Amino acid sequence: MQPSTQPNRIAARLGRFLVAAATAWLVVAALGTARPALAADPSPSPAPAGDPTAPVYVISATGIVDSVMAGYFEESVKRAADEDSPAIIVTINTPGGSLDATQRIVSSLLEAPLPTIVWVSPSGGRAASAGTFITLAANLAYMAPGTNIGAASPVGSGGEELEGTIGDKVRNDAIANIRSIAEARGRDVEWAVSTVEDAVSSSAVEAVAVGAVDGIATSLEDVRRQADGQVVRVGSSDVTVDIADAPFVELPMNPFQSIIHLLSDPNIAFILLTIGFYGLLFELQSPNFVTGILGAIALILAFIGFGSLPLNVAGLLLIGLAIVLFLLEFTVTSHGLLAVGGLICFVLGAFALYTAPGTPTAPDVSVAAPLVFLMAGVTAAFMVLVLVTVVRVRRRTRAYAGAYGAGGSSTVPAGSDGLVRTSLAPTGVVYAAGEEWTARSRSGSEIATGEHVHVVGQEGLTLIVEPGLPGGSPEERGP
């Protein structure tokens, strides 16, 4: 029994040794494969953008998108970048605007060296036409409840779809532009294209559902909460939005920018146009330079505003025709028909002053109906006052032709009193018989401005006068 036991023990020991060696090899192999796994662990989040304690500038894109707003955007982004701000927030509420201005704003957002956030607000606001391009160009986009975005389809001046080569060119260019913006920001490309192809407009909830924007935010603090910690791409690298402790600082337009931007409001431009026409009308009726200069300035400001608006020349001509009819009413006896025709032209011109947008970014705007009727009512009241005054003057001059006015005869009765308006040396201007006349001194001596005179004769349309107090002879003049 002994000899057979010894080999068994040796075999058992050898087996145990082999098992131990195999186990050790497996452990070493397992440890060797674990090291690469540690190296493959995900890297930490990208570094924060800017200084997390620096101010987050909040800028406003309200109203028509014009060159003033584009400059304001560019200056604001540069200032935020220079101050190492962790982000910049844009609150937007616009019907659209200039194509060139929109492209400048989109470029400033896409090339910004810091995270850009757009918030469509307040409730009831919109990011239409140009606003759609701007919103999609931001790193992060949020919308307030009750807002909408989209409707960036180009149409003709009458609202019809553009046909032919021009229509295809405008549409394809807009589609390529908005597609590139959506791809650059990782947004839903099909939806973005549909806003141009089919004039699709979506509510805040729908826009979030299709991936057009990142969420719904009820306030700036809500925007902060949702944006903080998000990883976005700025330039060629990813950064983390860190604005949890950053103070919000509003960065409005400077006073000059605010005034010029205000001119692009369709209602303000209409008011300035009307004031300008009235100023020129008053200047033609009663030359005084003041109303003429003010009217010219108002017209210039109005046309500055029209530069960012889809102006309809037909509407402008109707308003101009209305002013001409009002002017003719003062000189032609029409029993008010010209004034009525002028009011009709004025109202039609006001409603037709702006056309439908002709480019994907242009705004769909019009003059507010209450403003049209208010201005028409003021005009009607003014015309009634003028007509009543004219009728009274005409009746008075006919009834008292000898004592008041020339009575339509171009003759001033001898003995009428007058007042020197410009010095008679010996010829000047006097006010007599309710009108201004060219006059000369009978003696040839100078009569100073402001002196009272008597009419002693008339040669054509030139009055012959001599000094004298009202109702008295020259001898009765005081020292």
Side-chain angles (χ1 to χ4, degrees):
M1 295 294 296
Q2 186 67 28
S4 61
T5 302
Q6 187 67 26
N8 290 339
R9 289 178 177 175
I10 294 173
R13 289 175 180 176
L14 181 61
R16 286 197 295 271
F17 174 78
L18 292 176
V19 170
T23 302
W25 181 84
L26 290 174
V27 170
V28 171
L31 292 175
T33 57
R35 289 171 186 169
L38 291 174
D41 284 345
S43 59
S45 299
D51 181 0
T53 62
V56 172
Y57 287 113
V58 180
I59 66 175
S60 175
T62 302
I64 302 298
V65 176
D66 55 10
S67 59
V68 176
M69 183 182 291
Y72 166 59
F73 260 78
E74 293 166 345
E75 293 171 5
S76 300
V77 170
K78 183 179 184 303
R79 177 171 175 178
D82 291 343
E83 298 187 14
D84 203 23
S85 178
I88 187 170
I89 297 178
V90 180
T91 62
I92 187 170
N93 178 18
T94 177
S98 165
L99 177 60
D100 291 339
T102 302
Q103 291 175 337
R104 288 174 58 188
I105 293 174
V106 168
S107 295
S108 68
L109 292 176
L110 292 176
E111 299 174 0
L114 74 166
T116 56
I117 305 170
V118 166
W119 180 39
V120 183
S121 66
S123 296
R126 54 179 172 165
S129 300
T132 305
F133 288 76
I134 294 171
T135 302
L136 296 180
N139 292 110
L140 298 171
Y142 301 95
M143 298 177 67
T147 55
N148 63 80
I149 184 174
S153 179
V155 296
S157 59
E160 74 281 0
E161 293 208 8
L162 293 174
E163 303 291 345
T165 304
I166 295 179
D168 292 339
K169 181 179 179 180
V170 172
R171 188 177 298 103
N172 292 338
D173 181 69
I175 290 174
N177 190 8
I178 204 166
R179 182 191 297 276
S180 64
I181 294 172
E183 290 174 347
R185 292 310 191 196
R187 307 201 183 280
D188 189 277
V189 175
E190 291 185 6
W191 178 89
V193 171
S194 70
T195 63
V196 177
E197 278 190 330
D198 306 315
V200 169
S201 181
S202 301
S203 66
V205 174
E206 293 169 342
V208 173
V210 300
V213 297
D214 299 290
I216 297 177
T218 58
S219 64
L220 276 176
E221 286 299 329
D222 198 10
V223 171
R224 182 207 298 273
R225 180 185 61 79
Q226 296 188 49
D228 186 60
Q230 296 288 335
V231 177
V232 299
R233 192 161 192 82
V234 176
S236 59
S237 59
D238 293 334
V239 297
T240 301
V241 179
D242 187 358
I243 58 174
D245 300 320
F248 287 149
V249 176
E250 291 189 7
L251 187 61
M253 292 183 179
N254 61 48
F256 178 76
Q257 289 176 326
S258 300
I259 293 174
I260 299 300
H261 180 60
L262 182 64
L263 301 179
S264 63
D265 184 287
N267 294 317
I268 297 297
F270 168 68
I271 293 174
L272 289 171
L273 175 67
T274 306
I275 292 175
F277 275 132
Y278 284 161
L280 297 182
L281 176 64
F282 296 154
E283 182 66 26
L284 292 174
Q285 281 298 109
S286 179
N288 54 55
F289 293 107
V290 176
T291 56
I293 292 174
L294 293 178
I297 292 174
L299 284 177
I300 292 172
L301 294 177
F303 279 96
I304 290 175
F306 289 149
S308 302
L309 297 168
L311 180 65
N312 185 0
V313 178
L316 186 64
L317 291 177
L318 280 171
I319 295 177
L321 177 59
I323 302 301
V324 172
L325 293 177
F326 294 150
L327 184 60
L328 291 176
E329 183 63 54
F330 298 153
T331 58
V332 178
T333 303
S334 69
H335 304 288
L337 292 179
L338 290 176
V340 173
L343 283 174
I344 294 174
C345 290
F346 181 82
V347 173
L348 293 178
F351 281 118
L353 189 58
Y354 304 112
T355 66
T359 66
T361 63
D364 186 8
V365 294
S366 61
V367 181
L371 178 60
V372 174
F373 293 124
L374 174 62
M375 298 298 288
V378 171
T379 303
F382 170 74
M383 292 304 299
V384 169
L385 177 63
V386 169
L387 291 176
V388 169
T389 303
V390 169
V391 169
R392 286 181 177 177
V393 169
R394 287 175 179 172
R395 287 179 179 176
R396 188 178 301 175
T397 55
R398 284 196 297 265
Y400 306 100
Y404 181 84
S409 64
S410 299
T411 301
V412 178
S416 299
D417 296 321
L419 182 67
V420 178
R421 289 290 176 85
T422 62
S423 177
L424 275 61
T427 302
V429 176
V430 300
Y431 182 80
E435 299 173 283
E436 289 187 340
W437 297 82
T438 300
R440 66 178 177 83
S441 170
R442 182 172 66 170
S443 64
S445 60
E446 181 178 355
I447 303 178
T449 301
E451 292 286 335
H452 292 279
V453 294
H454 289 302
V455 177
V456 295
Q458 184 170 351
E459 295 177 356
L461 297 178
T462 301
L463 303 183
I464 311 301
V465 299
E466 62 181 12
L469 292 175
S473 63
E475 292 74 19
E476 296 173 332
R477 292 183 65 223

